Amino acid sequence: QSALTQPASVSGSPGQSLTISCTGTTSDIGGHNYVSWYQQHPGKGPQLLIYGVTYRPSGVSIRFSASKSGNTASLTISGLQAEDEADYYCSAHRGTTVLFGGGTRLTVL
Amino acid sequence: QAQLVESGGGVAQPGGSLRLSCEASGFTFTNYGVHWVRQAPGKGLEWVAVISDDGNYKFYADSVKGRFTISRDNSKKTLYLQMNSLRPEDTAVYFCAKGRSLFGVPWDSLDIWGQGTMVAVSS
């Protein structure tokens, strides 16, 4: 069982928006702003989507946005596209340990 | 273009050892912390260890503490993971990943990932 809780799966139709949640505690997500999100396609290494809770690295689509409220971080994907079908992971640290969520499988219908 | 390439994976017996390597190119390796992250077959990501840019600090997941050792050779632009006392639950794809920020904190976001190397522990 992962220390950060994500829904196992979400789905949406092309063009729709959806949000993936990531719940932790005051010792991790709720205690600082080092929250990240990663996208992983099958057979590939993960790709950084979001860092510092809300910031997008250069080259990441503006369709990806993120926020945090209390102990829960959220990733929103707008204008869903077929290429968004992948696994998504949140991450935060607790002390000197880096935590990942269990991952959310996004299916584009 | 920044790139990380892992090698050294393979099959090991329980109680055995393996050493993984991760060669960096396209960025100034000495300026960034680097991590190992693993993924068991069909499972999610699990952080394993981090080493600072200068090698002065190292942190480990509880699941590998005392068995795995992370190290780096900045002259060779290479990260290592020495894995001893291997267990079946260590079976996974092992990724190396680079911290995003120059001389960043240990828990920095990971902006460059390798393609991974597979480790299988079985008798």
Side-chain angles (χ1 to χ4, degrees):
Chain A
Q1 188 172 353
S2 302
L4 304 179
T5 301
Q6 298 180 233
S9 63
V10 295
S11 63
S13 299
Q16 286 186 329
S17 296
L18 58 77
T19 297
I20 299 172
S21 62
C22 173
T23 302
T25 69
T26 55
S27 297
D28 38 72
I29 289 177
H32 56 73
N33 288 327
Y34 289 96
V35 180
S36 306
W37 289 90
Y38 301 89
Q39 177 191 60
Q40 186 181 32
H41 287 105
K44 299 291 184 65
Q47 176 192 354
L48 178 64
L49 285 180
I50 298 288
Y51 67 92
V53 179
T54 62
Y55 298 96
R56 269 189 318 274
S58 174
V60 172
S61 171
I62 60 172
R63 298 186 298 104
F64 294 94
S65 62
S67 62
K68 187 184 80 166
S69 178
N71 299 337
T72 298
S74 300
L75 173 71
T76 297
I77 308 169
S78 58
L80 266 180
Q81 299 180 1
E83 67 206 46
D84 299 332
E85 188 159 290
D87 294 326
Y88 293 82
Y89 295 90
C90 60
S91 179
H93 79 90
R94 180 186 298 165
T96 56
T97 297
V98 175
L99 306 174
F100 285 98
T104 298
R105 173 70 52 88
L106 169 60
T107 301
V108 179
L109 302 172
Chain B
Q1 181 178 350
Q3 189 174 7
L4 296 168
V5 178
E6 303 94 337
S7 61
V11 180
Q13 291 192 335
S17 298
L18 278 176
R19 188 175 85 151
L20 306 184
S21 299
C22 169
E23 188 169 345
S25 61
F27 65 98
T28 305
F29 183 69
T30 57
N31 290 352
Y32 296 91
V34 275
H35 299 240
W36 287 102
V37 177
R38 68 185 181 184
Q39 186 170 34
K43 301 297 184 181
L45 302 174
E46 180 188 13
W47 176 77
V48 173
V50 60
I51 185 168
S52 62
D53 49 88
D54 57 8
N56 282 342
Y57 68 74
K58 306 173 185 180
F59 299 115
Y60 298 90
D62 287 345
S63 58
V64 307
K65 203 171 293 183
R67 300 188 300 123
F68 290 11
T69 301
I70 190 171
S71 62
R72 64 190 296 163
D73 185 336
N74 284 344
S75 68
K76 296 182 178 178
K77 300 180 183 179
T78 301
L79 171 72
Y80 301 101
L81 186 68
Q82 178 66 44
M83 303 186 296
N84 297 332
S85 303
L86 282 164
R87 304 167 179 169
E89 56 264 37
D90 295 320
T91 295
V93 174
Y94 285 73
F95 297 99
C96 60
K98 164 190 165 292
R100 187 188 64 85
S101 303
L102 203 63
F103 308 117
V105 295
W107 41 85
D108 200 2
S109 301
L110 306 177
D111 66 343
I112 303 295
W113 295 66
Q115 83 291 347
T117 187
M118 181 69 201
V119 171
V121 182
S122 173
S123 54

